[in-house]
Structures are given as structure tokens and as C-alpha cells.
Amino acid sequence: MGRKPCCSKEGLKKGAWTSKEDMLLTQYIKEHGEATGWRSLPKKAGLLRCGKSCRLRWVNYLKPGLKRGNFKPEEDDLIIRLYSLLGSRWSLIAGRIPGRTDNDIKNYWNTHLLKKLKAQGNEPRRHKSLAKHTRRRTREKANASSQSTKQKSNNKTKKRKNVGKIEENCNIEGKDQALAKTGTRNKARY
């Protein structure tokens, strides 16, 4: 089923944003705030863009307080340390570096920092793969589910035995009444 598309994609502009579009988006958000729905924002603001495009443009480029441009050496060190602790969870890393977006940090890491560290021979310690933890959890869940399925199958066999005993003790006409009392009428197999 899923969510309906945010727009028809027909007649919308793609590619680089113009300064006029930036101005329209900034003015609309200053007047109405960020809390308005991003899907309806382009029509209300007079933009021929998709709502997702407007949201990304605002969050990554136009939002006040964003730092653009060169990273300081302190920020470099902090990114390296956080990467060794958190791995490539860029949004968590960005939350600890004020004014920087997760997209900006990720791009900086992949284009500059990682290459710089490899050239120095100081490749950062990789964060433990989440895949190992995921595999371990799925094994634990599988073990737990296999134990629960064993219990369920034991319960089914007990019910079948009870139904068999009831059938032996009752005549054919009374079978439906006996099964109704045990609550296994629909589950019994004849």
C-alpha cells in the first residue's frame, strides 16, 4: 500500500536552485514557520518544486545558524573521535557539532578526512559492525521463537489428545457438545 506520492513530478523544476527560489522559500518559512507541512509548502510559497526538495534545501543550506565552508581542526578531531565511537551515524555525529548538518559532515568525511587519514597512515579504527550485533540478535530471536513454537506444538498435541479422549467417551451425537465445552471445536480434525 504505502504512502501516496508527495507530488505528480510533472511540471516541476529539478536541478540547481535560483536565488529567487531561495528567497521565496526563506520568506515563506519566516512568515509561517517550519512546522507547516512540507508537502503543501511549494504551492503555498509559489515554488515549482517538490516538498522534499524544499525541505532538503532549507535544512541543508538555508536554515539560519548553519556553518558552511571550511571545517576547523577541532571539528576534524571531534569527527574522527565520534566516528570511532559511533560509526557512520552521521545524524548523531552532527548533533554533537553545532551548526553542521549530517549531510555536510558525511560529505566532508568521504571527500577529505578519510583520504587525509589514509595518506598519513592513521586510518581510523572502524566501529564494530552493527551487522554482527544484528546477526546475534536474529539468532537469539530464532532460538526464542523455536522454543515458543515447540511449546505451541506441545499444546496442540495435548489438545488433540483431549479431543480424542472426549470422542471416545461420547457418542457421535454428543461429540459436538463435548467439543464445544473444551473450546476446541474449530481446531479439531475429523
Side-chain angles (χ1 to χ4, degrees):
M1 210 170 171
R3 179 186 257 186
K4 73 174 190 170
C6 64
C7 56
S8 65
K9 307 268 187 212
E10 295 175 16
L12 296 180
K13 281 185 75 176
K14 293 182 179 179
W17 280 66
T18 64
S19 58
K20 183 181 177 184
E21 289 175 316
D22 286 343
M23 185 188 65
L24 286 172
L25 180 61
T26 305
Q27 282 180 344
Y28 183 84
I29 291 177
K30 281 182 182 178
E31 290 174 16
H32 301 284
E34 281 185 63
T36 60
W38 289 106
R39 285 182 174 204
S40 60
L41 185 139
K43 286 183 182 177
K44 292 177 182 176
L47 294 166
L48 292 173
R49 295 282 183 168
C50 178
K52 180 180 178 182
S53 179
C54 293
R55 177 179 55 84
L56 291 174
R57 183 68 178 175
W58 175 256
V59 169
N60 290 322
Y61 296 98
L62 301 176
K63 193 173 187 177
L66 288 180
K67 291 182 186 176
R68 302 289 304 157
N70 298 333
F71 282 75
K72 296 178 184 174
E74 300 85 36
E75 289 175 321
D76 290 355
D77 295 338
L78 185 57
I79 292 170
I80 293 167
R81 282 186 290 147
L82 289 171
Y83 181 84
S84 65
L85 289 172
L86 302 171
S88 59
R89 296 183 193 167
W90 303 115
S91 60
L92 293 176
I93 293 171
R96 290 163 176 80
I97 302 174
R100 298 287 185 180
T101 64
D102 52 349
N103 190 42
D104 199 22
I105 292 171
K106 178 191 67 158
N107 290 341
Y108 183 68
W109 173 265
N110 289 324
T111 57
H112 295 347
L113 275 183
L114 191 58
K115 292 175 184 177
K116 179 179 162 184
L117 292 171
K118 283 182 179 180
Q120 293 174 352
N122 295 333
E123 194 168 346
R125 187 188 66 161
R126 292 275 172 151
H127 185 263
K128 289 183 181 178
S129 173
L130 295 176
K132 290 180 183 178
H133 298 292
T134 308
R135 278 189 246 127
R136 184 180 302 142
R137 287 180 187 152
T138 53
R139 277 192 226 127
E140 292 170 0
K141 286 181 182 179
N143 291 340
S145 65
S146 65
Q147 290 173 355
S148 65
T149 54
K150 287 178 186 177
Q151 291 173 351
K152 288 178 184 177
S153 63
N154 288 339
N155 291 340
K156 286 181 183 178
T157 55
K158 286 178 185 178
K159 286 180 182 178
R160 287 185 190 140
K161 288 179 183 177
N162 290 339
V163 170
K165 289 178 185 178
I166 292 170
E167 288 176 359
E168 291 173 5
N169 295 334
C170 299
N171 59 16
I172 295 175
E173 294 174 4
K175 185 188 296 185
D176 287 338
Q177 292 173 350
L179 290 174
K181 286 181 183 176
T182 60
T184 58
R185 181 173 186 225
N186 295 333
K187 295 178 185 172
R189 295 183 184 176
Y190 297 1

